[in-house]
Amino acid sequence: TSVAWDTNKMVARARTRDPATVRVRARLYHVFAYLWLVCGATLRAIARFEAAAALRPEWNAPVLALALLYARLGQIPQALAAFRRAVDIDRYELESDGHAITALAQTFLRRSEAMEREGRLDIARSLVEEVLGYDLRKAMPEVRFALQERLGLQIARERGWKP
């Protein structure tokens, strides 16, 4: 909690300065976030990525880094939210990065599977349909196939097929 409060305080202070200083400060927060990751301080890295994103809301790099970090940590709901933020900022940049679009697709797929296990089939299907709405040409073929297969199974279940 103290890390988040300090980050909010730093961001509020930095935003009152001129735009060039804000850009440099955001870039520094972004670099320091990666340094914290190298040191193993994940929470501090997340706070720095969030600070960089707060300073420059139009900059996709820290939000995408957060999404990838959450996905790697297995924190699927947080990863999903961060990926949606990244899509809102710059969908084209995300879709043109093969690693990022593959991670996005895997995150949606994992969340869909979790919703299906909980019996929330409508949410599971909407997640798969949402991710299939993205340009997945640069995603790994295995992930695209798994999404298509998942959608087919969901449609078959709705029509009464039981595995």
Side-chain angles (χ1 to χ4, degrees):
T1 57
S2 66
V3 173
W5 185 82
D6 290 341
T7 301
N8 293 337
K9 194 165 101 176
M10 287 187 299
V11 167
R13 220 176 327 136
R15 286 200 95 161
T16 60
R17 299 188 179 136
D18 77 292
T21 305
V22 171
R23 281 194 309 274
V24 169
R25 176 75 47 108
R27 180 76 61 180
L28 283 172
Y29 285 168
H30 191 242
V31 169
F32 283 128
Y34 281 111
L35 291 174
W36 282 120
L37 276 179
V38 169
C39 294
T42 306
L43 292 177
R44 287 182 182 265
I46 289 170
R48 289 295 167 252
F49 282 133
E50 287 288 357
L55 278 173
R56 290 186 58 201
E58 75 287 350
W59 189 30
N60 205 18
V63 177
L64 190 53
L66 262 175
L68 293 170
L69 176 59
Y70 282 133
R72 191 176 72 213
L73 293 173
Q75 297 177 8
I76 302 304
Q78 293 88 342
L80 194 62
F83 274 122
R84 284 181 172 147
R85 278 174 59 194
V87 166
D88 287 343
I89 295 169
D90 191 350
R91 181 177 178 152
Y92 176 75
E93 180 184 345
L94 182 81
E95 291 175 338
S96 63
D97 181 349
H99 177 67
I101 196 68
T102 298
L104 175 137
Q106 288 173 331
T107 300
F108 271 82
L109 182 61
R110 286 185 188 129
R111 187 64 177 158
S112 173
E113 290 168 350
M115 291 292 103
E116 204 169 294
R117 281 191 300 275
E118 293 176 12
R120 302 169 78 182
L121 302 178
D122 54 336
I123 295 173
R125 181 170 179 183
S126 68
L127 285 166
V128 172
E129 289 174 344
E130 181 181 349
V131 75
L132 287 173
Y134 297 124
D135 182 4
L136 298 174
R137 288 179 290 177
K138 293 202 175 185
M140 291 175 51
E142 298 85 9
V143 176
R144 291 194 316 257
F145 177 76
L147 285 166
Q148 291 291 344
E149 186 178 45
R150 172 76 45 197
L151 182 62
L153 284 172
Q154 290 170 345
I155 291 171
R157 282 191 189 116
E158 286 177 4
R159 294 183 180 162
W161 178 76
K162 299 201 186 229

